[in-house]
Each structure stands twice: as structure tokens, then as C-alpha cells.
Amino acid sequence: MTATVQEIRIQLPHIDLAARVYGPENGQPVLALHGWLDNSMTFELLAPKLQGLRIVAIDMAGHGHSGHREPGAGYQLWDYALDALLAAQQLGWDKFSLLGHSLGGIVSVLLAAAVPERIERIALIDGLVPDTGEAEQSPQKLGEALKAQIKLSSKKKTVYKTMEQAVQARMAGFMPVSQLAAELLAQRGLSPVAGGYSWNSDSRLTLPSPLRLTQSHAQAFVRAVQCPMRLIAAEQGVLLKEADFLKFVSTYSLDVQRLPGGHHLHLDDEQGAQAVAEVVQDFFCIS
């Protein structure tokens, strides 16, 4: 399916974000947030199938064509939430909806819980709450994070001789994807460097979190969401394998739609993208 896509830049006070815009100007405003180490191309198969929505899919800070944070800054969940809220402000959106995959879904839940008066609907793809950690683990986790940050300066990014090698590496990464998905992400995620190509995401994105929310924190954010929320859970994704997720489903009666496919079911192939589109389209009441 072909569709006109507009490339824009959103200038925030502290960073510039790149974005791809899909749909008519008078469509329902939707801010789309991608997953960890992905970019806005994650919505390339899905967004054109959603009629009646004005989807602004941003490259989150440190990803894709967006800027990297200043030295000393980090990439915590609340930092992404602030970026999203400021981006909506720059777009002139008083109220808007969210479409989030994985990390983008987690940020969407936190943002909707924090400023419920601004968010109209949330559609989530295989992402709900972050990995949690209890207070007793915090000192050890902070120490690990601090040491990893110090070591990062001595590490060099992997350089691939060809784009094809980079695509193959992405296919076999922490979250495996299809060749089609890897190629789409590479279009926006690779940059030419001396000796070949390298992923242009900020190396700090791979650092462990210095502080995790507790289970009580995560539950509080889910409870605080006031708008309609629908979660698409991939049968071979990450959520359905987690006991904590199943507990959330039973405790909060979440609107969960299970679909076949992996964690990137909306990007791995056209069939998966169409299945996700039908669920999202129904949720947004698009005729």
C-alpha cells in the first residue's frame, strides 16, 4: 500500500526529534512511539492501513534521525514521556491519542497516567509496563549501572562492511525480526561510517537502568490510566511469557487482543500488519 508520508522535525527546548507523518491533516491526532533500538519505520506497514488518523511517528531521542541527549543526560522512561508531551505541544495538540510498541507502549502508559486530561486513547502493541525491581535490589543495580556507564567510553560501535551484514545482525538481535522488518528499520537506523555502516542509535541506550520501578509503581500507573486502552499481545511475543503480565490481566481486566506473531508482528510481514491494523482501527472507531 502506497501512501504519502511527510518528514518533519520537531524542535524541543532540549533536543530535536525527527518524525514521519501519515494520514490527513484533519485526522484524529495520534503520537506513535516505537520500541527500544528501533525507529519510526516500525510503523511503516501499519500506519498507511489506518484511515482517519493523523499519525506522527517520532524517532525517540537517541534513535533514528533524532538527536542524542547531551553528555551526562540519560534515557529514562520519564525523559521519553517529557519528550512526547513536548512534541504534542509543538504540534499544537491539546488532546491526542497514543500508539506505542514495546518501549513506546510503556512510555504511553506512564504518560497517560501522569497527564490523563491530555490523552484520549491508547493502543499498545506488545508493551505495557517496564521490567520492575524491588527496593532491596536497588543498591546493587545502581552500582552495576554506574560501572557500565564508566566503561562505555572505551567501547566502540560495531562496523559492518555492508548493509546486508547489518540487516542480518538485526534479524538475530535481542528481539529477532524478519528480514523485511530489519530492512525497514535499517533504512532509518544505519549510517555510513569509515569501513562500512553502523547503527546510529546512541550507545547509552544499551546501558542498564540505574533505577527500576517497583511492582507497586507499575500497578499504580496502570490504575491511573483513565482513557480507553487496548493492548495487542503477540502470541510469540514477550508479554504472554511473563507471569507479571498475566497477573495484570487478571487483576485489572485489561482489554487484551491476542494475535499470532512475534514481538514485531506489526512489522514482520504484511499479514501481521493487517491483523494489527484491524484491531487498532476497530478501537479508534474508524469507518
Side-chain angles (χ1 to χ4, degrees), residues 229-283:
M229 179 169 65
R230 175 170 290 180
L231 169 62
I232 297 170
E235 293 284 3
Q236 290 77 46
V238 297
L239 291 184
L240 294 178
K241 300 176 183 178
E242 298 178 358
D244 289 344
F245 168 72
L246 298 176
K247 181 179 179 181
F248 266 108
V249 172
S250 62
T251 303
Y252 298 103
S253 300
L254 298 177
D255 178 1
V256 180
Q257 305 289 317
R258 298 170 65 142
L259 291 177
H263 186 58
H264 287 76
L265 73 166
H266 63 296
L267 183 65
D268 279 333
D269 54 47
E270 288 285 354
Q271 182 179 358
Q274 182 60 41
V276 172
E278 291 173 3
V279 174
V280 174
Q281 193 163 15
D282 172 71
F283 177 64

Side-chain angles (χ1 to χ4, degrees), residues 11-55:
Q11 296 181 335
L12 306 185
H14 58 291
I15 198 169
D16 279 9
L17 302 179
R20 292 171 65 79
V21 184
Y22 305 81
E25 291 187 11
N26 63 348
Q28 298 180 49
V30 178
L31 193 67
L33 306 177
H34 59 75
W36 178 62
L37 295 182
D38 291 342
N39 54 62
S40 59
M41 289 295 286
T42 197
F43 299 107
E44 187 70 2
L45 301 184
L46 175 61
K49 302 180 190 302
L50 300 174
Q51 304 302 307
L53 300 182
R54 180 67 166 179
I55 299 173

Side-chain angles (χ1 to χ4, degrees), residues 22-220:
Y22 305 81
E25 291 187 11
N26 63 348
Q28 298 180 49
V30 178
L31 193 67
L33 306 177
H34 59 75
W36 178 62
L37 295 182
D38 291 342
N39 54 62
S40 59
M41 289 295 286
T42 197
F43 299 107
E44 187 70 2
L45 301 184
L46 175 61
K49 302 180 190 302
L50 300 174
Q51 304 302 307
L53 300 182
R54 180 67 166 179
I55 299 173
V56 176
I58 65 173
D59 290 333
M60 294 164 69
H63 298 76
H65 292 170
S66 286
H68 294 186
R69 299 205 191 279
E70 294 293 330
Y75 291 91
Q76 304 307 315
L77 296 173
W78 34 88
D79 297 319
Y80 289 126
L82 176 61
D83 292 344
L85 195 58
L86 287 173
Q89 180 175 311
Q90 288 295 315
L91 292 166
W93 294 350
D94 180 43
K95 293 187 176 182
F96 58 100
S97 296
L98 292 160
L99 171 62
H101 170 240
S102 193
L103 169 63
I106 295 168
V107 173
S108 295
V109 172
L110 267 59
L111 182 58
V115 288
E117 71 279 4
R118 300 290 301 276
I119 310 301
E120 296 185 317
R121 288 178 177 269
I122 313 174
L124 308 173
I125 304 172
D126 222 43
L128 180 64
V129 294
D131 291 336
T132 57
E134 297 310 309
E136 293 77 11
Q137 304 166 327
S138 297
Q140 176 186 346
K141 293 298 182 182
L142 177 58
E144 293 172 355
L146 293 174
K147 293 173 184 176
Q149 187 166 351
I150 292 172
K151 291 181 180 179
L152 187 65
S153 60
S154 62
K155 294 183 179 180
K156 294 183 178 180
K157 281 190 172 184
T158 301
V159 175
Y160 302 92
K161 291 184 179 180
T162 65
M163 293 185 67
E164 290 73 18
Q165 289 180 350
V167 166
Q168 291 296 318
R170 182 63 185 85
M171 290 173 63
F174 177 70
M175 292 290 180
V177 298
S178 69
Q179 181 170 344
L180 173 60
E183 289 173 347
L184 288 170
L185 293 172
Q187 288 181 25
R188 201 170 182 87
L190 282 179
S191 293
V193 297
Y197 298 86
S198 182
W199 293 96
N200 53 27
S201 53
D202 193 327
S203 297
R204 288 174 290 176
L205 294 170
T206 64
L207 291 171
S209 299
L211 184 66
R212 292 189 182 276
L213 299 181
T214 65
Q215 274 286 335
S216 295
H217 283 121
Q219 292 167 5

